[in-house]
């Protein structure tokens, strides 16, 4: 098992460095704050931080201010307790002469890193506020601090920015220091106060380690042509820049970075700016390459990127913008970067037109990394990706892989303006940054691939997805109070489904009721006004309101933009709108899957409602209060359908008469109902039933018409909801009748695609038709359709026999999983070998998830053990594998036991602030539905205490488990009776359950 750096010191790679900070104080202060992370110390590795203060007199500029003096406002709450962020106001910094020395000898040998970091100019403006030096600190680290006034004989020792004038006035001595572990502050107290109007330089020396923890500056290894190679890369977001070098690590404290990297000859260095100079030289008689980069634009620390590798690249130009795709040399040679290269130019051009603002940088680098926690990261000018999300091979990648690449590239490039050019002031409004990029990623991908109609898929992939989380009483508003989001694990926890998917859904609704032209007009104004600065969410509402006002009544709103958005942003959850078509009465209430007894939620939203009667969309209306009346919604015998195309972020319920009319329409001519709303009706009905607002059997009846449905969105919506039934019922007596019913439902779809593809020899022409073909095969095999099982096992066996894979890339995820479920150790071992030897990351990902589909518990245990060995399963993939195993009914208990047994190790291994823990807790508890499992969950919490960024996920797991228990008690018998009734005339002796695992991998090709 690989050692964890910080636990086994001999297996870690030390680095040393120093940094110089220059600041000017307007008001006296005797406190300086420093953060720095992984500055380690023990008997074998005596690390330290040396802190010195020196006074500097600098020349004034013609305008009377100091040259390049940068203004920032820092605040400090109390003398001994720092419990808040440093920045009270977002202002820029300057990092001059950031120098990093990175040397990698043989990849399996020792990696050494020496750092020479930066000159930071900082000004503290307000009385009693302090200016300080910020980095990270971890409670497990021991650091000593030594301080005295010191003047440097060698300017290079201070990063090249100290000069002869430094010694003219002495600086106060350091008298004491203390740690604030929770906020990761190291506070240095001075003997005297700094003098108003003077500039000072703070010099620090530090020692740390270059580890493989995927945070800050870290080391990643991969194998190519039998040779182990290394990439040194970085992940600064959200609070890991401080792990790499001491810095003001908050989004409001923007800076211009002047970066130089010193690295081994033969390697390539990349950073945010374009390479300005590359020189081969020697330092201390060692041959090195020194790469100096263009200064960055003013930006936040979390957007900094530093990478050293021996990668290759592809390049093109979009106007004056240099576009480069970087990846492993073999991946580039095989053309895996071609699709990304061809997409990037058109998407950049689309966003330049959409924002009416030119791309602000000279180049756009995108790089695929073998080890990366996140899907991608929007570092300004150097975007980092997991290999699965950037690389695409038309011969072996699926259309799902292609869409993923397109939408994620669009998401990250959208950030170049919204997030990077204009940055939110603090992490409490992460949703506006990530939600906006998620929303417009569909627009960018649609521009690049217009034939896909990808914009509609936001309903499945974001709206319905986040409804499930936001319907919990443990959900949270989009925006929080700034003072509630302070500690690193608070910050990490903000990057959840609410921020991304609810944010996207709410902004889509906003764009719809404003109209896209007005929305874009306000957005352009916002970006131009706040370029290179920081904002709060209300700033965007103000500029959208200006756009509304400028259009002279073109858009009619019942209230101002800010007033409309308050409810959606500051209230958790969402409403269900109930329409009584017999009277035209409308009402709203907070929708909760399992309302807490004796708890009343009095939330009210201003709700835009677009609705229709058969054949005609009616005029839009607004529900402004808890209840209202719209006489036009009286049915008169026709059905009424609200929330057309699900542009609003709410569910809809109706009187039973209208539900019956809608069901009749679906069963007679379903195409009269828009396809997105067919998906909506199924999803709303099932979730209203889970909340006891509709009878469960009525929800089940919305699936009856699917025997005649071939469109992807309604089918996927239904399968997503039946997925919940499988999780709850596959360990009960309802499982058999459920399988029989689903087999009856899916068989016509399976035969439809068999015919459409000429016996599976062709590919359906439509993008979403290809997705639904996968659903047909996956579900048919899962429910025991013999023809399907024979088909998939035959395809897989042919691959095993010939070592030539003829399975179409679109179908591989489904076929691989079904083959593993039907097979034994031989199939599993073959799949494992193919996984380890795969040269395309997306192919490896398909195999990795399929390996969790086996029904052999010994193989599942073996697979679980591999997640603790990075040479078997990469650290970035460990959580995903565990969750996939938990999704297999044979693996649920194994995965839960594994997590409980190894929690302390994993918590140390990944770091408590890692977002992976929230995913892990949610994944392994998703099927919990018994009182025993609820008690196990409580015991797990009591035994382990601190859950870091997974704290909210644990609370949600309690709530879901309780809701699941209640749902089963109330509905299991009715569901069993309904399935039995439907199956009376449809029983089939050839149904087989033993060969199909219910480890859902629908449409993950």
């Amino acid at each position: 098992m690989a050692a964890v750096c910080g636990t086994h010191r001999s297996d870690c790679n030390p680095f040393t460095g120093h940094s110089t900070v220059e600041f000017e104080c307007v008001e006296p202060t005797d406190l300086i704050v420093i953060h720095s992370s992984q500055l380690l110390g023990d008997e074998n590795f005596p690390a330290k931080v040396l802190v010195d203060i020196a006074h500097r007199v600098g020349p004034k500029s013609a305008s009377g201010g100091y040259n390049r003096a940068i203004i920032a406002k820092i605040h400090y709450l109390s003398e001994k307790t720092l419990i808040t962020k440093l920045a009270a106001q977002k202002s820029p910094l300057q990092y001059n002469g950031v120098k990093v020395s990175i040397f990698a000898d043989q990849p399996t040998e020792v990696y050494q890193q020496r750092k020479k970091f930066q000159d930071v100019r900082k000004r503290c403006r307000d009385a009693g506020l302090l200016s300080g030096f910020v980095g990270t600190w971890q409670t497990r680290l021991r650091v000593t601090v030594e301080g005295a006034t010191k003047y440097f004989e060698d300017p290079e020792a201070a990063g090249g920015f100290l000069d002869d004038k430094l010694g003219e006035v002495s600086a106060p001595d350091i008298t004491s220091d203390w740690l604030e572990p929770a906020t990761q502050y190291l506070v240095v107290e001075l003997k005297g106060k700094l003098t108003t109007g003077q500039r000072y330089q703070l010099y620090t020396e530090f020692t740390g380690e270059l580890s493989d923890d995927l945070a800050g500056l870290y080391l990643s290894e991969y194998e190519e042509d039998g040779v182990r190679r290394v990439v040194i890369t970085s992940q600064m977001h959200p609070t890991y820049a401080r792990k790499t070098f001491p810095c003001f690590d908050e989004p409001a404290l923007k800076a211009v970075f002047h970066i130089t990297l010193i690295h081994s000859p033969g390697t390539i260095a990349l950073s945010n700016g374009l390479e300005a100079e590359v020189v081969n030289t020697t330092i201390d008689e060692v041959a090195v390459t020194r790469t100096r980069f263009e200064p960055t634009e003013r930006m936040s620390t979390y957007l900094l990127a530093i990478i050293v590798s021996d990668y290759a690249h592809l390049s093109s130009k979009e106007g004056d913008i240099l576009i480069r795709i970087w990846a492993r040399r073999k991946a580039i040679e095989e053309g895996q970067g071609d699709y990304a290269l061809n997409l990037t130019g058109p998407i950049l051009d689309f966003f330049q037109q959409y924002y009416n603002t030119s791309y602000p940088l000279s180049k756009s680098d995108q790089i695929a990394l073998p080890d990366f926690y996140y899907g991608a990261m929007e570092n300004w000018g150097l975007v980092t990706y997991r290999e699965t999300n950037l690389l695409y091979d038309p011969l072996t990648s699926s259309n799902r892989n292609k869409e993923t690449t397109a939408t994620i590239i669009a998401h990250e490039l959208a950030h170049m303006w919204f997030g990077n050019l204009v940055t939110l002031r603090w992490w409490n409004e992460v949703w506006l940054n990530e939600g906006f990029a998620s929303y417009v990623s569909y627009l960018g991908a649609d521009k690049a691939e217009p034939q896909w109609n990808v914009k509609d898929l936001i309903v499945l992939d974001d709206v319905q997805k986040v409804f499930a989380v936001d319907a919990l009483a443990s959900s949270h508003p989009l925006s929080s109070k700034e003072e509630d989001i302070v500690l690193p694990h608070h910050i990490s926890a903000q990057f959840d489904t609410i921020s991304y998917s609810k944010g996207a859904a709410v902004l889509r609704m906003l764009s719809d009721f404003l109209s896209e032209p007005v929305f874009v007009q306000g957005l352009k104004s916002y970006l131009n006004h706040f370029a290179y600065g920081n904002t709060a969410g209300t700033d965007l509402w103000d500029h959208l309101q200006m756009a509304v006002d400028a259009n002279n009544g073109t858009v009619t709103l019942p209230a101002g933009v800010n007033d409309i958005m308050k409810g959606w942003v500051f209230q958790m959850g969402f409403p269900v709108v109930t329409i009584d078509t017999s009277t035209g009465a409308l009402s709203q209430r907070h929708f909760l899957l399992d309302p807490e007894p004796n708890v009343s939620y009095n939330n009210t939203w201003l709700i835009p409602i677009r609705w229709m009667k058969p054949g005609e969309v009616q005029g839009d209306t607004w529900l402004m209060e808890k209840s209202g009346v719209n006489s036009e919604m009286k049915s008169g015998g026709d059905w009424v359908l609200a929330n057309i195309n699900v542009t609003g972020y709410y569910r809809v319920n109706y009187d039973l008469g209208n539900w019956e009319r809608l069901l009749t329409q679906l069963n007679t001519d379903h195409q009269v109902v828009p396809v997105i709303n067919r998906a909506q009706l199924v999803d709303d009905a099932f979730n209203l039933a889970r909340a006891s607002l509709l009878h469960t059997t009525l929800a089940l009846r919305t699936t009856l018409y699917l025997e005649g449905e071939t469109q992807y969105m309604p089918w996927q919506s239904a399968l997503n909801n039946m997925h919940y039934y499988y999780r709850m019922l596959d360990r009960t007596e309802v499982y058999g009748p459920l399988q029989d019913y689903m087999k009856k439902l899916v068989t016509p779809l399976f035969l439809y695609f068999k015919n459409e593809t000429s016996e599976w020899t062709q590919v359906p022409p439509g993008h979403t038709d290809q997705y639904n073909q996968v659903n047909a095969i996956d579900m048919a095999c899962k429910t025991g359709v013999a023809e399907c099982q024979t088909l998939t096992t035959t395809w897989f066996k042919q691959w095993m026999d010939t070592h030539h894979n003829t399975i179409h890339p679109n179908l591989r995820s489904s076929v691989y999983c079904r083959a593993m479920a039907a097979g034994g150790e031989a199939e599993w071992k073959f799949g494992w070998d193919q996984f380890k030897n795969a040269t395309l990351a997306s192919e490896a990902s398909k195999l990795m998830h399929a390996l969790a589909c086996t029904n052999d518990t010994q193989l599942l245990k073996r697979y679980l053990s591999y997640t603790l060995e990075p040479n078997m399963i990469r650290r970035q993939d460990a959580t995903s594998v565990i969750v996939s195993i938990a999704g297999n009914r044979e693996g649920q208990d194994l995965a839960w036991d594994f997590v409980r047994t190894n929690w302390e190790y994993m918590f140390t291994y990944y770091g408590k602030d890692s977002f992976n823990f929230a995913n892990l807790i949610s994944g392994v508890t998703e099927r919990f539905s018994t009182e025993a499992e609820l008690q196990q969950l409580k015991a797990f919490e009591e035994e382990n205490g601190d859950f870091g960024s997974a704290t909210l996920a644990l609370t949600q797991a309690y709530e879901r488990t309780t809701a699941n228990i209640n749902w089963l008690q109330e509905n299991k018998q009715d569901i069993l009776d309904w399935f039995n009734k439907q199956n009376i005339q449809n029983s089939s002796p050839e149904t087989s359950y033993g060969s199909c695992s219910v480890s859902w991998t629908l449409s993950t090709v």
Side-chain angles (χ1 to χ4, degrees):
M1 187 176 298
V4 181
C5 284
T7 303
H8 302 289
R9 185 69 53 238
S10 61
D11 292 318
C12 298
N13 306 303
F15 64 80
T16 61
H18 59 239
S19 63
T20 304
V21 188
E22 184 171 338
F23 59 91
E24 178 181 347
C25 193
V26 177
E27 296 292 337
T29 180
D30 59 0
L31 292 169
I32 297 176
V33 180
I34 303 173
H35 286 165
S36 43
S37 166
Q38 291 198 359
L39 305 184
L40 311 177
D42 60 26
E43 60 277 10
N44 298 317
F45 193 24
K48 67 177 182 178
V49 175
L50 171 69
V51 182
D52 291 306
I53 308 297
H55 174 249
R56 173 172 180 171
V57 178
K60 289 191 175 183
S61 66
S63 62
Y66 288 101
N67 288 333
R68 295 186 296 177
I70 306 300
I71 298 172
K73 185 192 249 183
I74 310 286
H75 76 212
Y76 174 64
L77 285 191
S78 66
E79 187 177 73
K80 290 289 184 179
T81 307
L82 291 169
I83 59 172
T84 185
K85 63 185 188 299
L86 293 178
Q89 175 180 327
K90 307 321 183 220
S91 302
L93 301 172
Q94 182 95 1
Y95 291 76
N96 290 324
V98 178
K99 292 188 178 180
V100 185
S101 299
I102 304 175
F103 297 97
D105 296 332
Q106 296 302 316
T108 55
E109 301 296 330
V110 175
Y111 301 91
Q112 294 181 336
Q113 179 181 340
R114 298 197 306 270
K115 298 183 175 183
K116 293 181 180 179
F117 280 111
Q118 76 285 358
D119 172 33
V120 181
R121 299 170 187 259
K122 190 81 180 147
R123 192 191 295 254
C124 51
R125 283 166 139 180
D126 291 1
L129 303 183
L130 66 89
S131 177
F133 200 56
V134 186
T136 25
W137 194 263
Q138 294 182 349
T139 57
R140 66 189 178 104
L141 310 182
R142 294 190 337 206
V143 180
T144 62
V145 180
E146 304 169 3
T149 301
K150 181 174 180 179
Y151 309 105
F152 303 97
E153 298 177 358
D154 178 11
E156 181 65 17
F161 290 92
L162 297 176
D163 57 27
D164 295 339
K165 298 179 180 179
L166 208 74
E168 293 180 3
V169 181
S170 62
D173 288 340
I174 296 171
T175 60
S176 65
D177 60 85
W178 66 90
L179 294 174
E180 295 289 344
T183 49
Q184 302 182 332
Y185 292 168
L186 170 60
V187 185
V188 179
E189 188 169 18
L190 307 178
K191 187 174 183 180
K193 291 189 175 182
L194 302 179
T195 304
T196 301
Q198 299 295 334
R199 290 160 64 188
Y200 297 86
Q201 290 187 335
L202 175 66
Y203 174 76
T204 62
E205 292 182 357
F206 50 91
T207 303
E209 65 187 11
L210 182 65
S211 63
D212 61 351
D213 60 357
L214 310 190
L217 192 64
Y218 68 89
L219 182 148
S220 172
E221 292 187 16
Y222 64 97
E223 186 172 307
E224 195 166 71
D225 296 327
V227 177
R228 294 198 69 80
R229 302 182 184 276
V230 66
V231 178
I232 295 172
T233 186
S234 61
Q235 172 61 30
M236 310 300 189
H237 181 276
T239 59
Y240 298 130
R242 59 188 70 171
K243 281 193 62 184
T244 305
F245 65 103
C247 60
F248 293 93
D249 199 10
E250 296 182 359
L253 302 180
K254 289 191 169 186
V256 174
F257 291 83
H258 299 260
I259 299 170
T260 299
L261 297 181
I262 300 172
H263 49 102
S264 300
T267 59
I268 296 167
L270 298 173
S271 191
N272 304 76
L274 188 63
E275 305 90 277
E277 180 184 54
V278 180
V279 177
N280 292 318
T281 184
T282 59
I283 295 179
D284 297 332
E285 299 182 349
V286 175
V288 299
T289 298
R290 183 177 65 239
T291 302
R292 179 175 59 83
F293 299 90
E294 293 177 345
T296 70
E297 296 293 339
R298 204 163 65 210
M299 68 182 196
S300 304
T301 49
Y302 76 83
L303 296 172
L304 182 66
I306 297 171
I307 299 175
V308 176
S309 72
D310 65 351
Y311 274 12
H313 74 279
L314 302 167
S315 65
S316 67
K317 297 277 283 192
E318 180 69 25
D320 294 331
I321 306 167
L322 174 64
I323 297 170
R324 298 185 297 191
I325 305 297
W326 297 85
R328 293 176 290 104
R329 291 183 177 277
K330 192 168 186 178
I332 293 296
E333 291 169 2
E334 293 176 351
Q336 296 177 22
D338 292 355
Y339 182 62
L341 184 69
N342 294 333
L343 276 183
T344 299
I347 291 176
L348 278 175
D349 183 62
F350 166 75
F351 282 127
Q352 288 186 110
Q353 296 180 44
Y354 184 78
Y355 295 124
N356 195 29
T357 303
S358 296
Y359 180 71
L361 308 180
S362 61
K363 58 99 169 176
S364 174
D365 280 335
Q366 297 176 94
I367 187 167
L369 298 170
D371 292 291
F372 194 66
Y373 263 153
Y374 297 81
M377 176 59 209
E378 66 268 19
N379 312 303
W380 215 4
L382 178 52
V383 183
T384 44
Y385 295 82
R386 280 196 182 197
E387 288 191 347
T388 51
N389 293 333
L390 185 66
L391 303 181
Y392 172 82
D393 182 347
L395 297 179
T396 55
S397 300
S398 67
N399 69 325
R400 174 70 71 177
N401 297 138
K402 194 173 188 178
E403 184 193 311
T404 297
T405 296
T407 53
I408 290 184
I409 287 176
H411 179 110
E412 303 310 322
L413 295 183
H415 275 309
M416 301 299 107
W417 289 265
F418 204 102
N420 296 6
L421 180 65
V422 177
T423 307
L424 294 166
R425 188 168 61 199
W426 188 242
W427 301 111
N428 63 307
E429 293 185 308
V430 160
W431 79 271
L432 195 52
N433 191 6
E434 297 300 345
F436 183 85
S438 296
Y439 166 54
V440 300
S441 70
Y442 290 94
L443 308 186
D446 184 67
K447 178 67 176 180
E449 299 284 3
Q451 71 280 7
W452 288 354
N453 295 320
V454 72
K455 287 191 290 186
D456 293 346
L457 297 182
I458 192 175
V459 174
L460 288 175
D461 297 341
D462 284 291
V463 181
Q464 291 185 0
K465 170 185 171 182
V466 73
F467 272 160
V469 177
D470 209 19
L472 300 175
S474 54
S475 185
H476 63 85
L478 283 170
S479 285
S480 305
K481 295 179 180 178
E482 290 191 23
E483 58 267 28
D484 292 340
I485 311 299
V486 177
L487 305 181
H489 72 268
H490 293 159
I491 295 169
S492 296
Q494 295 303 295
F495 294 87
D496 63 359
T497 303
I498 296 294
S499 292
Y500 284 79
S501 296
K502 181 177 180 177
V506 167
L507 289 169
R508 174 174 173 261
M509 176 177 67
L510 172 62
S511 174
D512 182 73
F513 70 70
L514 289 181
S515 79
E516 188 74 6
V518 172
F519 180 78
V520 171
Q521 181 180 338
L523 183 62
K524 292 173 182 177
S525 171
Y526 169 83
L527 290 173
N528 289 331
H529 185 81
F530 293 105
Y532 304 104
N534 295 86
T535 68
T538 53
D539 294 322
L540 179 58
W541 311 149
D542 291 343
H543 281 262
L544 290 172
Q545 185 63 54
M546 287 189 285
V548 171
D549 296 340
N551 279 272
N552 298 320
T554 302
V555 177
T556 303
L557 299 179
V561 173
N562 188 51
D563 291 333
I564 293 172
M565 296 307 295
K566 279 180 181 177
W568 301 102
V569 171
F570 293 108
Q571 295 177 157
M572 78 170 194
F574 60 92
V576 53
V577 173
T578 299
I579 301 173
D580 186 340
T581 61
S582 65
T583 64
L586 295 86
S587 62
Q588 63 168 290
R589 62 183 286 187
H590 186 161
F591 180 80
L592 291 168
L593 285 175
D594 188 34
E596 296 180 19
N598 305 317
V599 177
S600 176
Y601 294 91
N602 197 35
N603 295 340
T604 302
W605 291 264
L606 305 187
I607 306 173
I609 301 175
R610 182 168 299 142
W611 62 288
M612 69 178 294
K613 289 183 177 180
E616 185 178 1
V617 176
Q618 309 294 309
D620 293 357
T621 187
W622 286 78
L623 181 59
M624 304 292 290
E625 305 289 344
K626 286 286 188 182
S627 60
V629 175
N630 186 331
S631 59
E632 294 181 0
M633 288 186 176
K634 290 183 181 180
S635 67
D638 291 328
W639 50 260
V640 168
L641 181 64
N643 201 9
I644 303 306
N645 292 327
V646 195
T647 54
Y649 185 67
Y650 54 90
R651 294 197 182 279
V652 185
N653 196 5
Y654 305 96
D655 58 282
L656 287 178
N658 196 62
W659 274 112
E660 291 295 343
R661 288 188 289 273
L662 287 167
L663 290 174
T664 299
Q665 182 66 70
L666 289 177
N667 286 310
T668 54
D669 185 3
H670 60 264
Q671 294 188 14
V672 172
V673 179
V675 64
I676 295 177
N677 289 98
R678 301 204 295 271
Q680 173 214 16
L681 286 170
V682 173
D683 191 60
D684 278 356
F686 271 88
N687 283 276
L688 290 166
R690 285 180 61 185
S692 301
L693 299 177
L694 202 64
H695 199 279
T696 297
T697 57
L698 192 150
L700 286 166
R701 287 170 59 200
T702 64
T703 66
L704 289 169
Y705 97 97
L706 290 173
E707 288 188 69
E709 176 69 87
T710 60
Q711 291 294 310
Y712 167 70
M713 290 189 69
W715 261 103
Q716 189 61 53
S717 182
L719 292 175
N720 289 342
N721 283 283
M722 295 309 296
H723 177 29
Y724 178 76
Y725 276 49
Y726 272 97
R727 292 200 313 268
M728 296 301 100
L729 300 167
D730 65 5
R731 295 176 288 176
T732 73
E733 69 274 20
V734 184
Y735 178 54
L738 168 60
Q739 283 280 76
D740 288 339
Y741 176 72
M742 292 306 296
K743 178 182 178 181
K744 180 193 76 168
L745 211 60
V746 78
T747 297
L749 187 69
F750 177 80
L751 296 175
Y752 167 82
F753 280 108
K754 176 184 176 181
N755 180 63
E756 286 292 302
T757 60
S758 300
E759 301 275 346
W760 316 108
T761 61
Q762 299 175 10
V763 178
H767 181 64
T768 55
D769 289 337
Q770 293 175 41
Y771 287 173
N772 217 26
Q773 179 195 22
V774 175
N775 282 340
I777 290 176
D778 194 83
M779 201 64 205
C781 284
K782 193 188 305 279
T783 55
V785 175
E787 183 179 349
C788 180
Q789 293 178 331
T790 300
L791 185 72
T792 56
T793 55
T794 299
W795 283 342
F796 196 82
K797 188 175 186 305
Q798 287 175 347
W799 183 25
M800 292 180 65
D801 291 343
T802 65
H803 289 271
H804 178 58
N805 191 350
T806 60
I807 305 168
H808 192 277
N810 287 355
L811 308 180
R812 288 183 180 181
S813 281
S814 181
V815 172
Y816 294 171
C817 182
R818 301 282 67 82
M820 294 297 165
E825 185 165 5
E827 287 77 9
W828 197 91
K829 187 177 184 307
F830 176 80
W832 173 259
D833 290 341
Q834 296 300 316
F835 162 67
K836 294 298 287 184
N837 293 320
T839 59
L840 180 67
S842 59
E843 178 70 4
S845 179
K846 295 179 181 71
L847 288 158
M848 183 182 74
H849 288 285
L851 290 166
C853 296
T854 180
N855 291 314
D856 188 323
T857 57
Q858 293 304 310
L859 291 174
L860 291 173
K861 288 179 180 178
R862 183 193 306 175
Y863 200 24
L864 283 167
S865 71
Y866 288 171
T867 63
L868 299 181
E869 302 181 48
N871 62 319
M872 304 297 277
I873 297 295
R874 289 187 178 274
R875 189 186 295 231
Q876 66 177 15
D877 296 321
T879 297
S880 181
V881 169
I882 296 169
V883 170
S884 293
I885 293 171
N888 182 338
R889 66 189 181 119
E890 299 297 334
Q892 164 63 48
D893 292 339
L894 298 177
W896 174 230
D897 290 344
F898 179 83
V899 168
R900 286 188 291 172
T901 300
N902 294 284
W903 179 259
E904 183 177 356
Y905 174 81
M906 290 190 293
F907 205 57
T908 303
Y909 187 60
Y910 291 106
K912 71 175 184 178
D913 297 331
S914 169
F915 76 97
N916 278 277
F917 290 117
N919 297 340
L920 186 61
I921 292 294
S922 298
V924 298
T925 62
E926 188 180 30
R927 301 163 69 91
F928 281 14
S929 57
T930 67
E931 187 63 36
E933 287 167 332
L934 182 63
Q935 294 308 312
Q936 290 173 6
L937 195 57
K938 291 179 179 178
F940 177 61
E941 181 183 26
E942 292 170 359
E943 291 168 4
N944 293 284
D946 182 13
F947 284 84
S949 60
T951 301
L952 178 60
L954 188 68
T955 302
Q956 292 174 337
Y958 278 132
E959 186 180 351
R960 273 196 304 267
T961 302
T962 302
N964 292 343
I965 292 170
N966 294 337
W967 183 84
L968 272 177
Q969 291 174 346
E970 294 172 5
N971 294 286
K972 187 174 76 169
Q973 188 60 50
D974 286 344
I975 293 170
L976 177 61
D977 293 344
W978 191 86
F979 282 142
N980 283 334
K981 180 180 178 180
Q982 299 302 315
N983 294 333
I984 288 175
Q985 296 180 341
N986 294 282
S987 59
S988 173
E990 60 178 330
T991 297
S992 170
Y993 309 126
S995 60
C996 283
S997 161
V998 186
S999 54
W1000 290 68
T1001 55
L1002 295 175
S1003 294
T1004 55
V1005 297

